[in-house]
């Protein structure tokens, strides 16, 4: 073939050489991609604050507020707020959009690539923001904006996890993917700072400023990815598409090694051999069949924290307390960067789950005894706030980041994009359910259960189920390549997975090992240019 290039597709049986050393570029790539977490975090944070803003409440309910005295007019402070139905709809509709966005993103990412899908998500997100800003008291327009923004966030949240897991080196993959959760917490903190600053404005700027700031995150990520379009794409994406030359070039850029380096040859051969093996064991059926093959709480505080603290009737400055809980969330997350690689995924999930169960039950017990408004016990209120912060610490340093890490690691390449999409969509689905039902559970308007702090009995009980799920069903994936994780799941059980060690490479299993003289099976590929 004239002009063809020959790239060797034979690797090594040496387990220590199936991945190149970690480079600064890999950190930089994943760090920039993780920036997308700010979308999710910021939107969660600003909605919580806006729902409690006097001007926004007056705009949608007609209830009046005296800005000089800082008190509502003619209604008790605990009853000054949006109806449960409005809070439920305005909050949950975003998660509804993200659910469908995450499901669609998997196919789009396989068809167009990871980077273009994220850019599309940024554009869709901006359209939703425009609809939110131009609405005044038009609930339908505001809700439509939230729905469209959600689709964009769904695109971004699913594909970023996919991309980071595919390009991050195995030794620091957990830490780098945890950076996505850290960006989520930063987004929540920034949103709370903005809403805290604009909460007492007596004009549309009170809620339009927090909404408008979102454009900044879309511009940074979307334009940044467009300008950096020559940055490497996922090598595993190219392998899945059969573009081995481009996969080699991308892997060379990610790992900072020459194209003819043995590290690049060995890692690429391992990825290709693993893909061939997976294609043999995963049925290649119809479009619907390929989807079927994928199946062989903390957000309560950040969605409704401000309004929940208002309704308790025992906290003087709910906006400030929400800011404090958000700060705890941000400062706790970086602990996971080290812990997820030193202690492992299972340890963090199991002990983090235990901590969340204990703290939530303590909040509930204190809340229904000495923390009641009529008890007027300031010490009990401080205990509740303290244990809510400890609960957030337990989540932010364990389940928050590790959940994203597990999603990115556990699926084989042929179904990884859809598997990550489904997993991310499930996250948004349950976010949507929480956003729908929580206002009715804790609200004090007619038709609401008015559970108050008793809702933490429910959250604590659900955390028990989550902890048991992690203990019995989630395997340890620390220190393994994405290809080795597939083998581990075939050969051991989750409870014994921590002691599992790989014994051979996929290149060896598929007969792609170079002989002692260094010769290799070779295959010709026409030269291609990266799109």
């Amino acid at each position: 073939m004239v002009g063809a290039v020959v790239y060797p597709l034979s690797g090594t049986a040496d387990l220590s050489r199936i991945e190149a050393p970690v480079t600064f570029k890999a950190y930089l790539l994943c760090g920039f991609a993780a920036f997308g977490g700010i979308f999710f975090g910021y939107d969660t944070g600003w909605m919580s604050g806006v729902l409690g803003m006097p001007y926004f409440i007056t705009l949608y309910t007609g209830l009046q507020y005296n800005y000089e005295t800082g008190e509502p007019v003619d209604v008790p402070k605990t009853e000054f707020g949006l109806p449960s139905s409005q809070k439920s709809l305005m909050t949950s509709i975003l998660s509804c959009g993200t659910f469908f966005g995450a499901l669609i993103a998997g196919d789009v990412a396989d068809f167009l690539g990871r980077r273009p899908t994220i850019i599309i998500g940024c554009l869709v997100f901006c359209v939703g923001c425009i609809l939110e800003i131009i609405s005044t008291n038009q609930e339908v327009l505001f809700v439509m904006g939230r729905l469209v923004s959600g689709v964009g966030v769904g695109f971004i949240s699913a594909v970023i996890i996919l991309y980071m897991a595919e390009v991050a080196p195995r030794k620091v993959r957990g830490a780098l993917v945890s950076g996505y959760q850290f960006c989520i917490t930063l987004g929540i903190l920034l949103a709370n700072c903005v809403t805290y600053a604009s909460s007492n404005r007596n004009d549309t700027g009170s809620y339009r400023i927090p909404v408008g700031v979102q454009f900044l995150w879309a511009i940074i990520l979307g334009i940044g990815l467009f300008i950096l379009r020559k940055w490497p794409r996922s090598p595993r994406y190219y392998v899945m598409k059969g573009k081995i030359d481009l996969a080699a070039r991308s892997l060379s850029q990610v790992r900072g090694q020459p194209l003819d380096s043995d590290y690049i040859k060995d890692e690429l051969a391992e990825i290709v051999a693993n893909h061939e093996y997976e294609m043999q064991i995963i049925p290649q059926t119809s479009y619907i069949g390929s989807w079927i093959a994928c199946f062989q709480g903390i957000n309560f505080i950040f969605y409704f924290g401000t309004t929940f603290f208002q309704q308790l009737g025992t906290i003087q400055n709910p906006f400030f307390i929400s800011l404090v809980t958000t700060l705890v969330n941000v400062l706790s997350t970086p602990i996971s960067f080290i812990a997820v690689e030193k202690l492992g995924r299972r340890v963090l999930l199991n002990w983090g789950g235990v901590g969340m169960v204990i703290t939530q039950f303590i909040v509930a017990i204190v809340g229904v005894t000495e923390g009641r408004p009529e008890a007027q016990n300031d010490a009990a209120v401080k205990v509740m706030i303290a244990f809510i912060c400890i609960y957030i610490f337990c989540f932010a340093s364990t389940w928050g980041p590790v959940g994203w890490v597990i999603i990115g690691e556990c699926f084989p390449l042929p179904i990884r994009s859809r598997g990550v999409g489904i997993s991310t969509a499930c996250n948004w689905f349950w976010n949507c359910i929480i956003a729908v039902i929580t206002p009715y559970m804790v609200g004090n308007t007619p038709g609401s259960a008015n559970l108050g702090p008793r809702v933490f009995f429910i959250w604590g009980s659900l955390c028990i189920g989550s902890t048991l799920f992690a203990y019995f069903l989630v395997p340890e994936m620390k220190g393994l390549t994405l290809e080795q994780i597939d083998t581990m799941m075939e050969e051991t059980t989750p409870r014994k997975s921590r002691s599992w060690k790989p014994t051979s490479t996929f290149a060896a299993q598929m007969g792609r090992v170079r002989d002692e003289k260094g010769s290799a099976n070779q295959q010709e590929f026409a030269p291609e240019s990266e799109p």
Side-chain angles (χ1 to χ4, degrees):
M1 182 183 297
V2 178
V5 296
V6 179
Y7 197 86
L9 284 182
S10 294
T12 179
D14 185 352
L15 289 168
S16 65
R17 293 189 56 85
I18 58 174
E19 187 173 86
V22 180
T23 63
F24 176 74
K25 191 167 188 177
Y27 287 105
L28 194 61
L29 279 170
C30 292
F32 187 75
F35 182 82
I38 288 183
F39 281 79
F40 172 24
Y42 187 88
D43 200 275
T44 300
W46 77 255
M47 196 63 207
S48 170
V50 165
L51 289 176
M53 287 181 177
Y55 184 86
F56 194 79
I57 294 172
T58 299
L59 190 66
Y60 281 93
T61 65
L63 298 175
Q64 298 302 307
Y65 188 83
N66 189 324
Y67 288 87
E68 294 182 0
T69 63
E71 298 286 339
V73 179
D74 298 331
V75 293
K77 207 169 186 178
T78 55
E79 296 180 11
F80 181 73
L82 295 173
S84 298
S85 57
Q86 277 188 310
K87 286 194 288 187
S88 172
L89 177 61
M90 289 180 175
T91 306
S92 64
I93 197 67
L94 176 94
S95 296
C96 179
T98 52
F99 171 80
F100 290 105
L103 283 180
I104 297 169
D107 279 345
V108 177
D110 279 350
F111 182 70
L112 296 178
R114 283 41 169 163
R115 183 181 58 84
T117 305
I118 296 174
I119 294 176
I120 292 172
C122 291
L123 294 175
V124 174
F125 179 81
C126 286
V127 173
C129 289
I130 292 172
L131 295 177
E132 290 173 308
I133 289 177
I134 64 176
S135 67
T136 49
N137 61 345
Q138 300 162 293
E139 184 176 355
V140 173
L141 188 59
F142 185 82
V143 168
M144 181 58 66
R146 295 277 290 166
L147 178 65
V148 174
S149 294
V151 174
V153 175
F155 267 52
I156 295 164
S157 60
V159 180
I160 281 178
I161 293 298
L162 178 65
Y163 178 79
M164 293 177 69
E166 289 186 340
V167 302
R170 58 174 170 166
K171 294 180 180 178
V172 292
R173 185 177 58 242
L176 291 177
V177 177
S178 295
Y180 176 73
Q181 175 66 20
F182 180 64
C183 286
I184 291 176
T185 65
L186 278 179
I188 296 174
L189 176 62
L190 290 170
N192 274 271
C193 290
V194 175
T195 55
Y196 183 72
S198 66
S199 60
N200 290 319
R201 290 178 63 104
N202 187 15
D203 55 35
T204 58
S206 59
Y207 69 92
R208 281 177 170 165
I209 290 174
V211 175
V213 170
Q214 295 180 107
F215 282 108
L216 181 61
W217 321 134
I219 291 170
I220 292 174
L221 184 62
I223 295 182
L225 286 174
F226 180 78
I227 293 175
L228 299 173
R229 57 187 179 276
K230 293 301 182 183
W231 275 32
R233 295 190 180 187
S234 165
R236 289 175 171 87
Y237 165 76
Y238 283 131
V239 168
M240 186 178 65
K241 291 294 186 180
K243 300 179 178 181
I244 308 301
D245 278 357
L246 292 180
R249 188 187 311 169
S250 178
L251 192 60
S252 173
Q253 292 174 320
V254 171
R255 300 295 185 243
Q257 298 282 334
L259 192 60
D260 59 353
S261 164
D262 284 343
Y263 278 117
I264 301 303
K265 296 175 183 177
D266 292 341
E267 183 172 357
L268 182 60
E270 185 72 1
I271 295 172
V272 171
N274 172 257
H275 181 58
E276 291 175 348
Y277 173 75
E278 289 171 342
M279 293 296 285
Q280 292 175 4
I281 63 174
I282 295 177
Q284 304 304 302
T285 60
S286 64
Y287 178 80
I288 299 298
S290 64
W291 276 100
I292 295 175
C294 296
F295 296 95
Q296 293 193 306
I298 186 72
N299 283 338
F300 162 71
I301 300 295
F302 302 122
Y303 275 144
F304 301 106
T306 302
T307 55
F308 175 72
F309 292 139
Q310 286 174 336
Q311 291 167 354
L312 285 178
T314 55
I315 294 175
Q316 296 299 317
N317 194 337
F319 282 93
F320 179 72
I321 296 301
S322 292
L323 188 59
V324 170
T325 58
T326 305
L327 188 60
V328 172
N329 193 31
V330 172
L331 296 178
S332 303
T333 303
I335 295 174
S336 67
F337 296 176
I338 298 175
V340 73
E341 300 299 353
K342 295 294 184 181
L343 302 178
R345 284 64 161 157
R346 280 179 57 83
V347 170
L348 294 187
L349 291 177
N350 291 333
W351 287 107
V354 170
M356 289 192 293
V357 170
I358 293 172
T359 52
Q360 289 194 90
F361 278 120
I362 290 176
V363 172
I365 293 169
V366 174
V368 299
T369 53
E370 293 300 315
R372 293 172 295 126
E374 54 269 27
Q376 296 184 341
N377 189 330
D378 289 341
V381 174
K382 292 177 181 177
V383 169
M384 290 176 64
I385 295 173
F387 275 94
I388 286 176
C389 289
I390 296 173
Y391 159 62
I392 292 173
F393 166 81
C394 292
F395 173 84
S397 58
T398 60
W399 276 78
V402 176
W404 297 115
V405 175
I406 296 295
I407 286 174
E409 292 178 333
C410 66
F411 294 100
L413 181 58
I415 61 170
R416 182 171 294 137
S417 61
R418 288 176 176 172
V420 172
I422 291 172
S423 300
T424 308
C426 287
N427 171 69
W428 293 116
F429 172 78
W430 289 111
N431 275 344
C432 184
I433 296 299
I434 290 173
V436 168
I437 67 175
T438 298
Y440 295 101
M441 295 171 68
V442 302
N444 52 14
T445 57
S448 298
N450 195 18
L451 293 177
R454 287 173 291 179
V455 75
F456 281 93
F457 283 120
I458 297 175
W459 304 147
S461 300
L462 292 174
C463 276
I464 292 175
S466 299
T467 304
L468 292 175
F469 176 88
Y471 180 76
F472 287 107
L473 297 176
V474 177
E476 181 56 70
M477 308 179 199
K478 177 175 72 76
L480 302 177
T481 66
L482 296 180
E483 289 70 37
Q484 289 171 343
I485 289 172
D486 295 344
T487 304
M488 178 267 291
M489 288 185 171
E490 291 179 7
E491 296 182 354
T492 188
T493 62
R495 294 175 62 187
K496 297 179 180 179
S497 58
R498 189 176 182 85
S499 60
W500 183 87
K501 302 294 181 185
T503 57
S504 65
T505 66
F506 274 98
Q509 293 181 37
M510 303 301 291
R512 289 188 175 276
V513 179
R514 291 189 301 275
D515 60 30
E516 295 179 357
K517 297 180 180 180
S519 63
N521 296 328
Q522 296 182 342
Q523 186 173 349
E524 292 188 352
F525 297 93
E528 299 180 77
S529 59
E530 186 172 356

